[in-house]
């Protein structure tokens, strides 16, 4: 599973190859839909903190979208909070360049231990993805009341900064209704769909966007 092999690949240096393999596959997919005059929705792609700090990352990425002639706005680059820990200055610099070029930028897994509100102020994110650990304690735990206060406060603060939110790990109708009531714009999780292969995804997409 990803929580095991990604850590290994980051340690042995293979993660950049995986990241760019996924990026190129998505560029091919987007280009294919464009050529068929089908609706194209942005695709969110995780980027390892190691990959974004590699020399030449920006040029390699921009060369890729130019090769397939796709607008960079169709790629949403997800960066985890941990990317800022060791090299805050360079992370801000590279993400600013990517956003200026036209890519969408999101902070992934907000709330997993490196949370720093000042990072949101320094980079104009398009999206902040809230980790499931902020949502799940709101239901069925002794401290569910306090957990809801924390979630509500974080959602309100991010919205005040003009950034949209994606809540991860939505699995029940109750969770969905709470987030909807808070004005969370986007949600993902098993409540909507489990992971599917490309064929089933395209079918699902067609059914949802008719």
């Amino acid at each position: 599973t990803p929580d095991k092999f990604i850590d290994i690949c980051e340690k042995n240096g293979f993660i950049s190859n995986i990241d760019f393999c996924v990026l190129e596959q998505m560029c091919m997919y987007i280009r294919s839909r464009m050529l068929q005059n089908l609706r194209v929705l942005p695709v969110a792609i995780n980027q390892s903190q190691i990959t974004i700090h590699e020399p030449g990352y920006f040029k390699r990425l921009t060369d890729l979208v130019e090769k397939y002639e796709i607008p960079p706005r169709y790629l949403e680059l997800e960066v985890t909070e941990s990317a800022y820990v060791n090299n805050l200055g360079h992370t801000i610099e590279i993400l600013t360049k990517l956003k200026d070029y036209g890519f969408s930028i999101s902070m992934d897994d907000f709330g997993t231990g490196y949370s720093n509100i000042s990072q949101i102020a320094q980079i104009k994110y398009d999206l902040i993805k809230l980790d499931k650990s902020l949502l799940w304690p709101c239901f069925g735990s002794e401290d569910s009341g306090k957990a809801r206060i924390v979630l509500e406060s974080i959602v309100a603060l991010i919205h005040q900064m003009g950034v949209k939110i994606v809540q991860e790990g939505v699995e029940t109708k109750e969770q969905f209704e709470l987030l909807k009531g808070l004005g969370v714009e986007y949600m993902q999780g098993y409540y909507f769909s489990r992971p599917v292969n490309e064929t089933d995804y395209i079918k699902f997409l067609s059914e949802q966007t008719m």
Side-chain angles (χ1 to χ4, degrees):
T1 56
D3 63 322
K4 292 182 171 61
F5 74 75
I6 287 179
D7 183 58
I8 294 172
C9 290
E10 285 186 332
K11 291 178 180 177
N12 65 22
F14 291 162
I15 193 64
S16 180
N17 291 336
I18 293 176
D19 283 345
F20 273 95
C21 176
V22 173
L23 282 164
E24 184 149 20
Q25 289 291 322
M26 289 302 97
C27 288
M28 292 169 62
Y29 162 76
I30 292 169
R31 183 61 181 168
S32 174
R33 291 188 66 85
M34 290 174 60
L35 291 174
Q36 298 176 69
N37 293 317
L38 297 173
R39 183 186 182 193
V40 178
L41 295 174
V43 180
I45 307 171
N46 291 95
Q47 297 292 277
S48 166
Q49 58 174 315
I50 293 176
T51 301
I52 67 173
H53 289 306
E54 284 190 345
Y57 169 72
F58 177 80
K59 185 177 187 307
R60 190 177 176 186
L61 183 54
T62 54
D63 284 349
L64 193 58
V65 295
E66 291 174 6
K67 172 184 175 181
Y68 288 96
E69 299 180 331
I70 65 172
R73 69 177 182 276
Y74 287 141
L75 295 180
E76 176 194 320
L77 305 176
E78 295 186 1
V79 182
T80 59
E81 295 175 284
S82 59
Y84 299 86
V85 175
N86 297 321
N87 199 333
L88 175 61
H90 182 261
T91 301
I92 293 175
E93 178 185 353
I94 190 67
L95 293 186
T96 300
K97 286 178 62 177
L98 290 169
K99 184 165 178 59
D100 290 344
Y101 187 84
F103 293 101
S104 295
I105 305 296
S106 66
M107 176 186 282
D108 195 19
D109 296 335
F110 183 88
T112 54
Y114 297 98
S115 299
N116 190 335
I117 297 297
S118 66
Q119 294 169 8
I120 305 176
Q122 293 181 69
I123 298 175
K124 177 59 178 176
Y125 286 100
D126 297 285
L127 292 165
I128 300 293
K129 302 192 71 174
L130 302 184
D131 188 72
K132 62 181 180 292
S133 62
L134 291 172
L135 174 65
W136 288 2
C138 296
F139 299 86
S141 69
E142 294 182 0
D143 296 323
S144 59
K146 293 180 180 178
R148 291 196 182 200
I149 292 173
V150 171
L151 179 62
E152 291 171 4
S153 299
I154 290 175
V155 168
L157 180 59
I158 293 174
H159 280 161
Q160 286 177 357
M161 293 183 176
V163 182
K164 294 182 178 180
I165 295 172
V166 181
Q167 175 63 64
E168 302 174 333
V170 181
E171 297 189 351
T172 68
K173 180 177 177 59
E174 290 75 17
Q175 292 171 348
F176 170 79
E177 293 295 343
L178 171 63
L179 296 165
K180 182 180 178 181
L182 294 178
V184 172
E185 292 84 358
Y186 305 106
M187 307 175 209
Q188 69 180 60
Y190 287 178
Y191 180 69
F192 306 101
S193 174
R194 289 181 176 270
V196 295
N197 60 33
E198 182 178 354
T199 300
D200 290 340
Y201 167 71
I202 292 174
K203 179 182 178 182
F204 175 83
L205 186 64
S206 299
E207 292 172 347
Q208 297 299 316
T209 57
M210 291 183 64

